[in-house]
Amino acid sequence: MKVYKPTSPGRRGMSGFDFTELTPGKKPEKSLTEGKQRTGGRNNNGRITSRFRGGGHKKRYRIIDFRRNKTGVPATVASIEYDPNRTCRLALLHYADGEKAYILAPEALEVGAQVISASSADIKPGNSLPLRHIPLGTAIHNVELHIGAGGQLARSAGTSAQLMAKDGEWAQIRLPSGEIRIVHLNCRATIGAIGNKDHANVEWGKAGRMRWKGIRPHNRGVTMNPVDHPMGGGEGRSSGGRHPCSPWGLPTKGYKTRTNKTTSRFILRGRNKKA
């Protein structure tokens, strides 16, 4: 992390990354990138279809190997790189057979390190194993929900899940939210916690840094006119006068948003339950 000198009101309190963990001068692997379609802002008729989004720096998407299904082939970490599409860093792997791939860079993974995806792999950061072969209490990330589907859990900067228990063919995983979920023992996970844990401590400092990310100013419904929002209007400031809702009248607070009840049987303890 680096803290900027207060040379202007926007600089005061601003902080950012020093990027010392990245490989100097390394550009993205061209064969592992592709164009990224922007989804925010206006449509082809000029109408705003995604509110409070638009602009931002142009990005290319990095193709990441979430499956880690190249089993038994060792790989060397060639570089640690920045990814504009996510909060963590990427590690470029050079496999022994010549193939290249990006993975999420765990903490303490350095250039030149050897990683492998195998059931008999050592328990060290960057190695991928089925949950069946991972010791209890190990910090893991990029955890699969379905066998062979690729990692979906614990993928953002500084996060990790923990393998709590094994019961029959199922493992109990404690997620960063505190939720305890059961996952099949044949699902894969990667050892270690995701790097770049200081991402949560960044002080953005000025609105312009949000515009660089494609985030436009977000104004509340009560500040709008009645024609624009159900909560708009009123003489002077108002507290809304009705339950919070979206511009289309749908309630936005106080109701359950989880709709897929079929997977509730895999959740042993919800994220809002006390220990």
Side-chain angles (χ1 to χ4, degrees), residues 75-91:
T76 303
V77 178
S79 61
I80 305 294
E81 301 180 18
Y82 172 79
D83 187 355
N85 302 296
R86 63 193 71 248
T87 56
C88 64
R89 308 294 183 228
L90 299 183

Side-chain angles (χ1 to χ4, degrees), residues 172-189:
Q172 296 182 18
I173 307 292
R174 185 171 68 188
L175 302 179
S177 63
E179 177 179 300
I180 296 181
R181 190 182 184 102
I182 59 173
V183 180
H184 199 276
L185 283 175
N186 289 337
C187 289
R188 305 189 75 86

